[in-house]
Amino acid sequence: MADLTALLDDLRAENADLDRLVDPLDAAGLATPTPATGWTVAHQLSHLAWTDRWSLLAARDPEGFAAALGREFTDGLGAVDRGAAEGVGEPPAELLDRWRTGREDLLAALAAVPADTRLPWFGPPMKAPSMATARLMETWAHGQDVADALGATREPTDRLRHIAHLSVRTLGFAFAAHGLPAPEAPVRVELRSPGGDLWTWGPDDAGDRVTGSALDFCLLATQRRHRDDLALTATGPTAQTWLPIAQAFAGPPGAGRKPQATDASR
């Protein structure tokens, strides 16, 4: 079983890393366009605050979550755009305070969730460790958009292991999201960690294999880079089909990112 305390510590650290990027920004800085079409840095932070708010509702009031889901999502994913737009034009101090307060409230709420409790979500219900992992993944992914917008380079950490693990676990979901049958062949995933260790999933003797760096795999599965810009190798039909459609997040498949001109731009 995943160590919830350690996961929450890593989520807190991921939040702090993004906070260091955005803390100095004024209104003009928050208005900087990011690689997500139509989204500024303010959109990215407001989206994280909005999603943390939904996560907090799921942890504290599951019935209220279900009721709000039926009420807010009458127009499909329009609610996502509305949540991101909340922060546009909001004074920087207010936006940052809203995000910081919400994420701290969520950390406390997840720490109090009983171990056997499954929380409702936009996808399948999940236990608190999985919710924490999902929040870490999304914070890291949107943080990448912010870093790209600001021209900042983030040092990868071993927190990527949580995102890689989630990405491997969602293999079947990625196939289903694209209308493809669940793969029968197991896939061996071997990723080199930022510290040089080898992280592995799947049987040693699997014919289908994915190898490369953990950073590149996480950039792919969160759809922050196109596969052509990443040094990942897929062997076998299942692995080769999976990589172009991999997604670690719930919801319909995203459009992904276009290939960049040169590796130097990554």
Side-chain angles (χ1 to χ4, degrees), residues 5 7-17 103-104 107-108:
T5 299
L7 268 169
L8 294 178
D9 286 344
D10 281 348
L11 175 55
R12 183 176 287 106
E14 199 63 48
N15 283 326
D17 271 3
R103 77 196 197 204
E104 289 300 321
L107 287 166

Side-chain angles (χ1 to χ4, degrees), residues 161-200:
R161 184 163 192 165
H162 302 305
I163 303 169
H165 180 70
L166 179 62
S167 302
V168 172
R169 288 188 61 191
T170 54
L171 183 153
F173 171 77
F175 275 71
H178 285 81
L180 299 172
E184 297 182 1
V187 178
R188 172 74 169 184
V189 178
E190 298 181 348
L191 304 175
R192 189 62 59 182
S193 77
D197 295 330
L198 186 65
W199 297 340
T200 65

Side-chain angles (χ1 to χ4, degrees), residues 1 37 40 67 74 100 154 228:
M1 179 178 294
T37 303
T40 64
T74 56
R100 288 165 177 159
R154 300 191 300 174
D228 290 352

Side-chain angles (χ1 to χ4, degrees), residues 62-95:
E63 292 184 0
F65 177 94
L69 194 66
R71 185 173 61 250
E72 298 293 332
F73 281 79
T74 56
D75 59 346
L77 294 179
V80 177
D81 291 330
R82 289 192 296 274
E86 290 177 359
V88 177
E90 191 173 7
E94 292 183 16
L95 173 56

Side-chain angles (χ1 to χ4, degrees), residues 52-66 101-114 117-121 126 128 131:
D52 283 343
R53 190 163 71 238
W54 278 95
S55 303
L56 183 63
L57 184 61
R60 288 183 172 171
D61 184 8
E63 292 184 0
F65 177 94
T101 299
R103 77 196 197 204
E104 289 300 321
D105 287 346
L106 177 60
L107 287 166
L110 289 177
V113 173
T117 298
R118 289 189 178 275
L119 307 176
W121 195 236
M126 63 182 83
M131 179 71 81

Side-chain angles (χ1 to χ4, degrees), residues 30-246:
L30 289 173
T32 304
T34 70
T37 303
W39 279 27
T40 64
V41 173
H43 283 88
Q44 300 281 352
L45 294 179
S46 188
H47 172 74
L48 289 173
W50 176 85
T51 318
D52 283 343
R53 190 163 71 238
W54 278 95
S55 303
L56 183 63
L57 184 61
R60 288 183 172 171
D61 184 8
E63 292 184 0
F65 177 94
L69 194 66
R71 185 173 61 250
E72 298 293 332
F73 281 79
T74 56
D75 59 346
L77 294 179
V80 177
D81 291 330
R82 289 192 296 274
E86 290 177 359
V88 177
E90 191 173 7
E94 292 183 16
L95 173 56
L96 290 175
D97 182 67
R98 180 161 61 87
W99 172 50
R100 288 165 177 159
T101 299
R103 77 196 197 204
E104 289 300 321
D105 287 346
L106 177 60
L107 287 166
L110 289 177
V113 173
D116 59 348
T117 298
R118 289 189 178 275
L119 307 176
W121 195 236
F122 305 119
M126 63 182 83
K127 294 182 179 180
S130 294
M131 179 71 81
T133 302
R135 297 310 306 134
L136 193 155
M137 176 275 297
E138 190 162 15
T139 301
W140 181 84
H142 289 283
Q144 185 63 49
D145 288 340
V146 171
D148 289 341
L150 300 177
T153 299
R154 300 191 300 174
E155 192 69 27
T157 73
D158 280 354
R159 294 192 296 273
L160 290 176
R161 184 163 192 165
H162 302 305
I163 303 169
H165 180 70
L166 179 62
S167 302
V168 172
R169 288 188 61 191
T170 54
L171 183 153
F173 171 77
F175 275 71
H178 285 81
L180 299 172
E184 297 182 1
V187 178
R188 172 74 169 184
V189 178
E190 298 181 348
L191 304 175
R192 189 62 59 182
S193 77
D197 295 330
L198 186 65
W199 297 340
T200 65
W201 294 263
D204 290 342
D205 60 351
D208 284 84
R209 309 178 78 83
V210 170
T211 59
S213 77
L215 175 60
D216 280 8
F217 183 69
C218 292
L219 287 169
L220 180 79
T222 57
Q223 297 188 3
R224 262 52 193 181
R225 293 290 187 274
H226 191 278
R227 187 188 171 188
D228 290 352
D229 296 318
L230 302 170
L232 295 169
T233 300
T235 303
T238 297
Q240 290 171 0
T241 301
W242 177 34
L243 282 194
I245 63 173

